[in-house]
Amino acid sequence: GDISINLNVATLLSPEFLVFDDNIRAGMRGTIVLELQKIDIFADLGAYLFARDFAHDRGFRICIDGLSYQTLPFVDRERLGADLVKVIWEQDMADPTRAAAFGAAIKRCGPSRVILCRCDTRQAVDFGQSHGITLFQGRFIEAIINDEAKRRGGNAGRRR
């Protein structure tokens, strides 16, 4: 599956990242998402644009991390050349007025390009799915994955 790595722009431009990059098989780079915090991106937009181009040239994908339903409308994913954005789930998002504004921002961004994180309840996933989001992270998702792994492991053990 895909692997996400949280970095900052300076690390992405460092000699250590070049060593990391040299040790990654070319075919694997497309499965690696480099997550950069919004504050780091906007602190030095020129450095971000250079780092983004470097990462894309090497086959990595870029995710803008740390967005809220309040900040998402101000971030133009396409113009920033990011492949994904990560939005933090908050209970307040379910408020009808906020949900409508969030839905409009999701449509502009592209629902398939949004990761809804900190999904600790079914409500968070249901809310995201109602807006077309298909990528989720959080305790609720981890619990589902763990339950499925146990179920498969239990079934596999009974077949032996």
Side-chain angles (χ1 to χ4, degrees):
D2 292 349
I3 299 168
S4 293
I5 303 171
N6 289 298
L7 298 174
N8 59 39
V9 173
T11 301
L12 185 53
L13 297 174
S14 72
E16 291 81 8
F17 186 81
L18 292 175
V19 171
F20 168 78
D21 180 53
D22 286 342
N23 288 298
I24 299 292
R25 289 188 321 234
M28 189 175 172
R29 289 187 184 111
T31 67
I32 298 175
V33 177
L34 304 175
E35 296 184 6
L36 303 169
Q37 291 290 321
K38 69 179 180 304
I39 193 81
D40 193 38
I41 291 169
F42 292 114
D44 188 344
L45 195 54
Y48 161 73
L49 295 172
F50 182 82
R52 178 210 58 202
D53 290 346
F54 168 76
H56 280 161
D57 287 347
R58 303 298 298 156
F60 297 104
R61 293 182 288 159
I62 298 289
C63 177
I64 301 172
D65 193 3
L67 298 174
S68 69
Y69 71 90
Q70 296 149 318
T71 58
L72 181 63
F74 300 106
V75 175
D76 188 334
R77 180 194 60 78
E78 285 187 41
R79 196 161 178 210
L80 289 170
D83 303 287
L84 300 161
V85 295
K86 187 185 287 189
V87 180
I88 300 165
W89 161 256
E90 297 176 48
Q91 183 68 38
D92 293 352
M93 294 165 72
D95 173 86
T97 303
R98 291 181 180 125
F102 179 71
I106 292 297
K107 283 182 184 173
R108 184 174 54 87
C109 194
S112 66
R113 302 298 187 133
V114 176
I115 302 166
L116 190 60
C117 70
R118 297 190 189 165
C119 295
D120 298 337
T121 64
R122 162 63 66 190
Q123 179 191 17
V125 174
D126 290 344
F127 177 83
Q129 287 177 330
S130 74
H131 290 284
I133 297 172
T134 59
L135 302 170
F136 299 92
Q137 292 178 338
R139 291 186 191 123
F140 180 75
I141 304 303
E142 291 298 320
I144 291 171
I145 292 169
N146 288 336
D147 289 347
E148 181 63 18
K150 286 177 187 174
R151 187 185 67 74
R152 287 184 182 195
N155 288 341
R158 281 182 241 159
R159 285 187 218 148
R160 291 183 188 170

